Amino acid sequence: MHPTDAVPPDRAAALLDQVRPEEGAVPAFLFSDPEIYRLEMERIFARCWLFVAHESEVPAPGDYVTRAMGEDPVIVARGEDGAIRVMLNVCRHRGMRICRADLGNSSHFRCPYHGFTYKNTGELIGVPFEKELYGGALVKDRMGLLQARVETHAGLVFATFDEGAGTLADYLGPMAWYLDLLAGRAEMEVVGPPHRHELRANWKLPAENFASDAYHTMHTHASIAEIGLTPSATWAKDGYHVAAGNGHGVMIGAPTRRFVFSEALRPVFRRRLAPDQYALLERMAHMPGTVFPNLSFLISAVTLKGQFVSHTELLQWQPKGPDRIDVHTWLLMEKDAPPEERERSRQAFIVTFGPSGMLAQDDSENFTGITQNSRGPVARRLALNYQMGLGANAPVAGVGPGQVLEGKYNEANARGFYRRWLELMRAGA
Amino acid sequence: MSVPADVRAEVLEFLHQEAELLDDGRLDDWLGLLTEDVSYAMPIRLTRERGQEPALSVEMQFFQEDLATLRLRVHRLRTDFAWAEDPPSRTRHFVTNVRVAAGPTPDEVDVRCNVLVYRNRGASAAADLISGERRDRLRRVGGAWKLARRVFVPDQATLGVDNLAIFV
């Protein structure tokens, strides 16, 4: 047993053997078991490329936000050199949390415990009474804040503490192409800080939902059609279900009855996207997806107050224990969108997502209910059913990269999510 | 500027009546307490270092409603598919520390008060607690007080709720 393994290998193997994505079977205990959760922290969250921020959250030198990578706290800071660094928010002396604000601007961070001071590049530059107390024994240049590797795609900043991980481009695979549509179609920025609320659910439930579950929209969100935001309860049925590599999943609603994005920015979209990307953007009605493990996104369009309005959002499911998520939801907007369109998008976002959102509200009911049920000694052993679309795989060509299936209602992406999950969970053994 | 005692008494009565309508689930009646041009907002609270305020974002908010979107939300709760409130939760709005000041016009008052919303659901003994300050503007319309503006400033940066399917 590796000294850092949280769970005895035999026990881990016995649990993981019950996860059979190829048969469309996922045991309920995955959504509350504390041993599974401890393994996920080590084998998934300490290894994968994780989203930490959008570039526009730290636009100027000295800007920082604090975030989490799994349960590890990090500081995302832009240095005087313009580079964004992601550093463990843990003092190298005695482990105190150094920065305790959500965001700000600072050239340095000082630990409250003994006053160890770090530049916003992570370099340790000050230790009170260093010469008197340590002589020359303290090797300061080995005591900088622990640095994660940082890479960016379409303004989305990702980080990993795994030195052995491949590049972000390798990690994203075909998903990068779809992220361009989401976040690279124009110069984008987040609008204000993210909505945050603590959802009493397992992090995988919303992650697999955004990757794969268009089927739920018909019933879970039937109220949305009834109040006229969408034309019918089956508004999210037609389109494509795309396995985008490495456990990533994206779904494209298509065709659309009308262009969902800003007409004024069409030339920008056309210039920034490749012709095949732009062709899909034109046909797209909406686009939910998940970058494995815990970054989801959505392009959504609804009719609000008689006007057709779209918005783009990022959602991150920060695990806080097996049955708790610190949910972050950001509104992402084209910087150059006309002011009245920005205002409409903001209202459509708030009305539909974030904790008060009329779609998010009912999603939360499902995620919390499944999490609660998965604790029962009988219920936890149930193999939950993920069979939809098994054996009916005839990919269509000419839409985009990855394995593109016709029709959004499918569970192939959820199976892909758990297949990747299983590979990583087993790879640590 | 202080307001006459009878106005203060009317404001208190208004706030207590409003809490009763919300807690009794009489949301259509609650909509009747709002002016046509009501604005209803709940900004995001932030944790910031002292001196790096504002610790409040109005650029992004938990609620940013007008009468049309509030009606839409109430309408949704009346459908057969509003799972987050079916079965309904039990709420109790505790309204206290009420301060009434003169508003910008003779027919308006600015009211600040502390609010604690308790929300319990299903068989669980656990409950959501939403604590915050309301910054309201009431307007006298046809002899009755109505809510023209509400800003609910929550005390949590991360709301301790699965959802906000209720009103604050």
Side-chain angles (χ1 to χ4, degrees):
Chain A
M1 186 171 163
H2 191 276
T4 62
D5 275 355
V7 179
D10 293 353
R11 167 96 185 127
L15 289 172
L16 296 178
D17 283 348
Q18 297 173 62
V19 185
R20 299 188 182 96
E22 298 316 320
E23 298 164 26
V26 172
F29 66 77
L30 248 59
F31 303 120
S32 57
D33 189 282
E35 290 182 313
I36 289 288
Y37 181 77
R38 284 199 294 274
L39 283 175
E40 286 174 341
M41 287 301 106
E42 290 174 8
R43 296 181 183 179
I44 292 176
F45 285 86
R47 275 190 194 155
C48 288
W49 283 97
L50 302 174
F51 174 76
V52 290
H54 187 265
E55 277 181 340
S56 65
E57 293 185 274
V58 287
D63 285 349
Y64 70 84
V65 291
T66 52
R67 292 283 146 77
M69 293 172 64
E71 294 224 33
D72 285 315
V74 294
I75 304 171
V76 181
R78 194 183 285 274
E80 299 303 320
D81 57 358
I84 295 175
R85 293 179 182 79
V86 177
M87 302 159 281
L88 200 64
N89 190 3
V90 173
C91 184
R92 295 295 301 277
H93 178 218
R94 301 291 281 278
M96 173 58 187
R97 189 160 300 197
I98 298 160
C99 178
R100 291 153 305 126
D102 294 334
L103 75 167
N105 183 285
S106 187
S107 58
H108 65 277
F109 301 102
R110 179 171 291 130
C111 178
Y113 199 177
H114 303 93
F116 276 46
T117 302
Y118 301 86
K119 268 177 72 172
N120 63 9
T121 56
E123 186 190 342
L124 178 61
I125 52 169
V127 174
F129 291 112
E130 183 192 352
K131 283 211 174 74
E132 179 181 335
L133 302 177
Y134 291 97
L138 199 67
V139 187
K140 286 219 294 294
D141 56 10
R142 281 192 215 151
M143 286 189 62
L145 296 180
L146 209 63
Q147 302 271 346
R149 293 169 58 198
V150 183
E151 287 193 48
T152 299
H153 183 86
L156 308 169
V157 184
F158 290 83
T160 177
F161 282 106
D162 185 1
E163 286 302 326
T167 63
L168 178 63
D170 290 343
Y171 182 84
L172 293 176
M175 187 55 129
W177 192 93
Y178 297 96
L179 292 180
D180 289 340
L181 271 63
L182 179 87
R185 63 181 186 263
E187 195 181 345
M188 306 287 281
E189 62 182 4
V190 297
V191 180
H195 282 154
R196 289 178 68 176
H197 71 114
E198 217 170 74
L199 179 62
R200 282 160 284 198
N202 183 269
W203 68 271
K204 294 186 292 300
L205 290 164
E208 58 144 277
N209 175 281
F210 274 79
S212 185
D213 199 326
Y215 184 41
H216 84 288
T217 55
M218 181 175 58
H219 193 68
T220 293
H221 301 308
S223 70
I224 297 307
E226 203 160 313
I227 62 173
L229 264 66
T230 58
S232 72
T234 53
W235 91 96
K237 187 169 187 290
D238 296 331
Y240 308 102
H241 191 93
V242 185
N246 293 332
H248 314 310
V250 59
M251 294 175 285
I252 318 283
T256 185
R257 291 172 306 150
R258 47 171 295 187
F259 192 57
V260 305
F261 302 95
S262 172
E263 283 291 348
L265 295 175
R266 260 185 198 269
V268 177
F269 303 145
R270 203 192 298 266
R271 189 173 68 240
R272 291 179 62 116
L273 297 174
D276 54 348
Q277 288 175 315
Y278 181 74
L280 186 58
L281 194 83
E282 280 203 305
R283 297 172 56 211
M284 176 191 296
H286 47 261
M287 183 176 84
T290 294
V291 180
F292 188 91
N294 70 331
L295 174 69
S296 296
F297 56 80
L298 176 66
I299 292 169
S300 163
V302 295
T303 303
L304 184 62
K305 298 196 275 191
Q307 281 182 307
F308 189 66
V309 50
S310 78
H311 79 266
T312 298
E313 65 183 67
L314 301 172
L315 310 96
Q316 193 167 31
W317 320 107
Q318 291 292 6
K320 292 273 172 193
D323 55 2
R324 210 158 281 255
I325 309 168
D326 182 356
V327 179
H328 288 55
T329 317
W330 293 260
L331 174 62
L332 201 58
M333 190 103 74
E334 290 88 347
K335 252 185 185 161
D336 298 324
E340 63 280 7
E341 287 182 16
R342 291 176 67 96
E343 202 43 49
R344 279 204 295 274
S345 270
R346 175 158 64 173
Q347 192 161 49
F349 167 64
I350 293 172
V351 163
T352 51
F353 284 90
S356 81
M358 292 191 286
L359 283 104
Q361 287 175 20
D362 292 330
D363 284 329
S364 76
E365 186 74 359
N366 295 329
F367 304 148
T368 55
I370 296 166
T371 302
Q372 282 165 20
N373 277 346
S374 70
R375 295 187 193 117
V378 177
R380 65 176 265 122
R381 294 197 300 263
L382 271 184
L384 304 179
N385 190 294
Y386 289 74
Q387 288 183 310
M388 191 193 299
L390 258 182
N393 293 336
V396 293
V399 176
Q403 190 197 47
V404 180
L405 302 174
E406 184 84 38
K408 282 178 71 196
Y409 289 5
N410 202 317
E411 285 166 352
N413 284 352
R415 290 189 292 274
F417 180 93
Y418 289 110
R419 201 158 48 231
R420 179 63 180 150
W421 181 91
L422 199 53
E423 274 170 23
L424 287 164
M425 291 288 271
R426 283 200 167 126
Chain B
M1 211 172 80
S2 66
V3 299
D6 58 331
V7 169
R8 188 182 147 76
E10 287 170 19
V11 167
L12 281 179
E13 181 61 18
F14 176 91
L15 294 174
H16 294 160
Q17 275 297 326
E18 188 208 358
E20 181 176 317
L21 295 180
L22 289 173
D23 294 338
D24 289 352
R26 292 166 58 193
L27 297 178
D28 292 310
D29 293 337
W30 177 72
L31 288 172
L33 295 184
L34 313 178
T35 63
E36 289 293 321
D37 63 346
V38 67
S39 80
Y40 180 97
M42 183 170 174
I44 293 179
R45 214 57 190 274
L46 297 162
T47 305
R48 309 216 47 177
E49 284 183 3
R50 215 175 279 285
Q52 288 211 351
E53 283 86 3
L56 196 64
S57 168
V58 293
E59 211 182 338
M60 183 46 67
Q61 314 199 63
F62 291 115
F63 282 114
Q64 186 190 319
E65 311 299 309
D66 52 27
L67 190 57
T69 62
L70 289 171
R71 279 186 177 142
L72 206 56
R73 288 174 181 277
V74 171
H75 181 184
R76 190 191 89 83
L77 291 169
R78 296 272 173 271
T79 69
D80 292 334
F81 307 97
W83 313 112
E85 273 294 310
D86 191 4
S89 52
R90 293 165 289 268
T91 67
R92 196 65 55 196
H93 287 69
F94 297 89
V95 180
T96 183
N97 299 54
V98 179
R99 290 143 286 165
V100 187
T105 71
D107 284 330
E108 292 177 316
V109 288
D110 285 341
V111 184
R112 291 170 68 171
C113 63
N114 295 354
V115 173
L116 185 64
V117 185
Y118 171 97
R119 183 190 188 196
N120 180 258
R121 223 165 154 250
S124 169
D128 294 349
L129 284 178
I130 306 169
S131 168
E133 182 187 73
R134 282 186 190 157
R135 298 171 186 170
D136 291 350
R137 175 162 295 161
L138 304 190
R139 186 186 303 148
R140 210 192 294 268
V141 182
W145 289 104
K146 297 217 171 190
L147 183 69
R149 188 177 75 193
R150 168 160 297 161
V151 177
F152 184 97
V153 179
D155 293 323
Q156 289 171 315
T158 301
L159 297 182
V161 301
D162 294 321
N163 60 59
L164 272 177
I166 59 166
F167 298 100
V168 289

